[in-house]
Amino acid sequence: QVQLVESGGGLVQPGGSLRLSCVASGSIFSNNLMGWYRQAPGKQRELVATKTSGGNTAYAGSVKGRFTISRDNANTVYLQMNSLTPEDTAVYYCTQRNTGTYATYWGQGTQVTVSS
């Protein structure tokens, strides 16, 4: 069992920045993937960015160059979001998966609203 706690969401003006944080606890393997998905109203949940414990990253094309995913260790992941637009408005979810397992864990979600 893995528990994920997210923070950092809020209201920001277009062109502004936010930094999301997620801390995982529980049965964390040294080899794992952590990342972020988002879901806008009426839309499917979509990948934002992921990073493995080995350092490999992946980004959605819509955020590449604006967002940066980083990790302090096996348990903590951040998402630095710059040049935000209203299209970035969504609930952002932290996710974690231990390498070699089939269970994906999700945080409760944090709301990001980009509006003037």
Side-chain angles (χ1 to χ4, degrees):
Q1 184 81 8
V2 174
Q3 297 80 43
L4 303 170
V5 179
E6 301 141 311
S7 62
L11 175 66
V12 65
Q13 294 183 353
S17 298
L18 285 174
R19 183 176 173 86
L20 306 183
S21 300
C22 176
V23 179
S25 61
S27 184
I28 308 299
F29 294 0
S30 58
N31 294 326
N32 65 74
L33 177 146
M34 294 187 72
W36 298 90
Y37 283 68
R38 67 186 182 186
Q39 188 167 25
K43 301 291 183 66
Q44 292 181 298
R45 187 176 296 186
E46 66 175 352
L47 170 75
V48 178
T50 61
K51 189 170 187 177
T52 69
S53 52
N56 293 320
T57 60
Y59 292 92
S62 59
V63 308
K64 190 174 183 180
R66 299 189 297 120
F67 292 9
T68 302
I69 188 169
S70 61
R71 296 180 62 166
D72 284 345
N73 48 48
N75 299 333
T76 307
V77 65
Y78 305 94
L79 186 69
Q80 178 66 47
M81 305 186 294
N82 298 327
S83 302
L84 286 162
T85 75
E87 288 68 43
D88 297 314
T89 295
V91 178
Y92 285 70
Y93 296 90
C94 181
T95 187
Q96 191 273 354
R97 177 181 289 172
N98 290 316
T99 300
T101 74
Y102 298 95
T104 299
Y105 297 93
W106 299 91
Q108 79 287 347
T110 184
Q111 177 71 47
V112 172
T113 302
V114 184
S115 177
S116 60

